Amino acid sequence: MTDSDIATVGEWLDKEYIRKWYGKKENWLVEIRNRNGKYHFIRHFIVFLDDRKIGFCQYFDCSFVKDLFPDIADRHHAFGIDFLIGEEDCLNKGFGTMIIRKLEEKIAEAGGKEIWADPAADNFISHKVLLNNGFIKISDEEYRKILNQTVTTQ
């Protein structure tokens, strides 16, 4: 994410199919603009398809937002994610699944052990993408995935 990407994210957040899930555009842009200050714990990314910008995603250490995740105590243990596809012609093509897989890799590299996602209750497309990526539904607006589980047999 660079400063020159902020305008693009703002355009995507203005699109009706995104705005209904993401709420106030300015709240998101404030976080992005302050990514090296107050919101240093959020890692923002632009998603590319070849050389074309098609989406946005981020991950964050849940321990920095205890009001949203009061049960998370350990820093660098649980991470939250957000993602969107900003270009309509890229919807329903599997890019959401790829974004989540990349976020999982980044979180695992950071030492994360679980991932939390909180899509709106009626954002059925995001629910499907999360479930297809191995997340477990905790409630209508809460999904979780445990990372780095090793199964052994004897």
Side-chain angles (χ1 to χ4, degrees), residues 86-132:
E87 299 300 324
E88 291 94 332
D89 64 319
C90 293
L91 294 171
N92 302 309
K93 301 209 187 277
F95 295 122
T97 295
M98 287 190 264
I99 290 170
I100 289 176
R101 287 185 187 146
K102 258 326 209 193
L103 286 170
E104 286 180 20
E105 288 174 19
K106 294 281 190 189
I107 291 167
E109 288 170 10
K113 296 178 182 167
E114 61 185 305
I115 302 174
W116 292 77
D118 59 350
D122 55 348
N123 187 346
F124 302 116
I125 293 172
S126 286
H127 296 204
K128 181 179 176 183
V129 170
L130 292 165
L131 291 169
N132 287 342

Side-chain angles (χ1 to χ4, degrees), residues 60-76:
F60 57 91
D61 184 332
C62 293
S63 68
F64 283 93
V65 283
K66 290 185 189 265
D67 56 324
L68 298 175
F69 300 94
D71 297 332
I72 305 297
D74 297 336
R75 184 165 285 171
H76 307 305

Side-chain angles (χ1 to χ4, degrees), residues 12 45-49 52-57 84-85 99:
W12 290 335
F45 301 93
I46 293 295
V47 178
F48 285 85
L49 177 61
R52 180 179 173 212
K53 297 175 186 178
I54 66 163
F56 163 79
C57 63
L84 64 83
I85 304 296
I99 290 170

